[in-house]
Amino acid sequence: MSEESDWTIGRLLTWTSDYLTKQGSTSPRLDAEVLLADACGCERIDLYTAFDRAATETVRVTFREMVRRRAEGTPVAYLVGKREFYSLSFRVTPDVLIPRPETEHLVIETLDLIKTLDGKPIKIVDVGSGSGNVSVAIAKHAPSSQITAVDISKTALEIARKNVETHQVQEQVSLVAGDLLEGFNDEPQFDFVVSNPPYVSEAELTQAACEVKDYEPHIALLGGPQGTEIIARLVQQSTGRLKSGGWLLLEFSPMIATLVADLIDASSAFEDPVTTKDLAGLTRVIKARRR
Ligand code: GLN
């Protein structure tokens, strides 16, 4: 290759974008920009005014190593240690699921329901809180909410704690280790049960992209042989712990949409379940009201 000083920001982005395309990335340009911004210690937008600037040796070394790992399959979010969700930045490590845009629908649906309650104090439990993205996003937009974030993974709870602190919602969000709602008395106490639970079936996981199945925590993904097993337990446990008139909101895989709707219908504790589609037009979230 030419002189080192020829490696401008612009050329690095073009070269890396081509390289990652060949390596099979579905978002090569975005990956290159996010990684290079991280290596430069700037925002992505700042790269656009620096196209002609030569990258320093330190930046190039850091960037090259990240590109190498990205080409192997490591998700960008784990390389840079963060991911944006609901316009907030969340710290992520391989101990937590990388927040997905689809999950923003779970937050939107919850916030829409909260708005109808005119600022009345409400108690929410976020089951399988992972990085804490759902709890923090709700807390930030619904000051009337008190949220208990539950996760079975202690290492995930540590990440969530950092995110709760960064976004300064410690007064609203408490973190608890537990297996779904097992640790809570079986009595009506919550206004909302909100969850993006593990819902991928064993078969679906074997077919998932390598960057999902080889890098993200299986405990956060796998819902059992059919994918519905954890949701079934959660629906059953929610029945006793939700107040009458309270809401259950769940994210799930479109592959099990009918099974999830059937599970909720079969419990007969909930009325009029309504599903929402994500931006890809796939049924993704269900909300149901406790009778
Ligand atoms: N609540 C987190 C999220 O929505 C983690 C979910 C999970 O681990 N299944 O991304």
Side-chain angles (χ1 to χ4, degrees), residues 82-92 99 131-141 159-173:
K82 61 184 182 201
R83 172 53 55 94
E84 193 168 301
F85 177 82
Y86 217 78
S87 301
L88 299 163
S89 178
F90 288 89
R91 182 187 167 88
V92 293
S131 63
N133 55 329
V134 170
S135 291
V136 170
I138 295 173
K140 278 277 181 203
H141 292 87
I159 305 299
R161 186 171 313 282
K162 295 205 171 94
N163 285 319
V164 165
E165 281 166 12
T166 304
H167 293 293
Q168 302 197 309
V169 286
Q170 301 95 311
E171 303 275 291
Q172 276 175 276
V173 181

Side-chain angles (χ1 to χ4, degrees), residues 47-112:
L47 298 174
Y48 285 79
T49 50
F51 273 10
D52 298 330
R53 203 173 302 154
T56 65
E57 164 85 18
T58 325
V59 164
R60 278 187 286 117
V61 170
T62 312
F63 182 57
R64 196 182 306 133
E65 175 58 12
M66 286 199 287
V67 172
R68 186 188 66 73
R69 293 180 59 203
R70 176 68 196 120
E72 274 175 8
T74 311
V76 171
Y78 291 152
L79 292 171
V80 299
K82 61 184 182 201
R83 172 53 55 94
E84 193 168 301
F85 177 82
Y86 217 78
S87 301
L88 299 163
S89 178
F90 288 89
R91 182 187 167 88
V92 293
T93 69
D95 287 313
V96 296
L97 194 79
I98 300 168
R100 307 289 206 269
E102 302 89 279
T103 307
E104 294 182 345
H105 292 281
L106 184 68
V107 173
I108 293 167
E109 290 297 319
T110 307
L111 290 175
D112 281 352

Side-chain angles (χ1 to χ4, degrees), residues 86 106-125 134-147 172 191-194 245-247 249 287:
Y86 217 78
L106 184 68
V107 173
I108 293 167
E109 290 297 319
T110 307
L111 290 175
D112 281 352
L113 287 170
I114 293 174
K115 266 189 223 131
T116 66
L117 301 173
D118 297 327
K120 172 177 157 266
I122 46 164
K123 279 184 73 182
I124 300 178
V125 62
V134 170
S135 291
V136 170
I138 295 173
K140 278 277 181 203
H141 292 87
S144 60
S145 59
Q146 279 298 327
I147 307 168
Q172 276 175 276
D191 301 288
F192 287 78
V193 172
V194 177
W247 290 90
L249 290 108
K287 61 178 174 198

Side-chain angles (χ1 to χ4, degrees), residues 169-282:
V169 286
Q170 301 95 311
E171 303 275 291
Q172 276 175 276
V173 181
S174 48
L175 298 148
V176 174
D179 181 8
L180 305 180
L181 295 174
E182 202 89 62
F184 299 90
N185 292 340
D186 190 15
E187 57 195 41
Q189 54 192 295
F190 295 111
D191 301 288
F192 287 78
V193 172
V194 177
S195 182
N196 173 22
Y199 57 65
V200 176
S201 70
E202 279 167 7
E204 210 181 339
L205 190 64
T206 59
Q207 286 156 24
C210 290
E211 68 178 291
V212 175
K213 70 172 177 237
D214 294 348
Y215 292 91
E216 294 196 80
H218 284 195
I219 192 172
L221 290 164
L222 204 55
Q226 278 202 79
T228 50
E229 290 77 357
I230 289 180
I231 292 180
R233 280 179 61 214
L234 183 54
V235 169
Q236 196 274 323
Q237 293 178 356
S238 301
T239 309
R241 288 155 179 96
L242 268 174
K243 297 180 193 166
S244 173
W247 290 90
L248 171 66
L249 290 108
L250 300 175
E251 179 179 324
F252 52 83
S253 159
M255 317 244 306
I256 55 169
T258 316
L259 292 171
V260 172
D262 288 351
L263 268 169
I264 291 179
D265 280 342
S267 99
S268 73
F270 296 93
E271 58 190 9
D272 306 332
V274 176
T275 55
T276 313
K277 291 188 163 71
D278 63 20
L279 293 179
L282 302 168

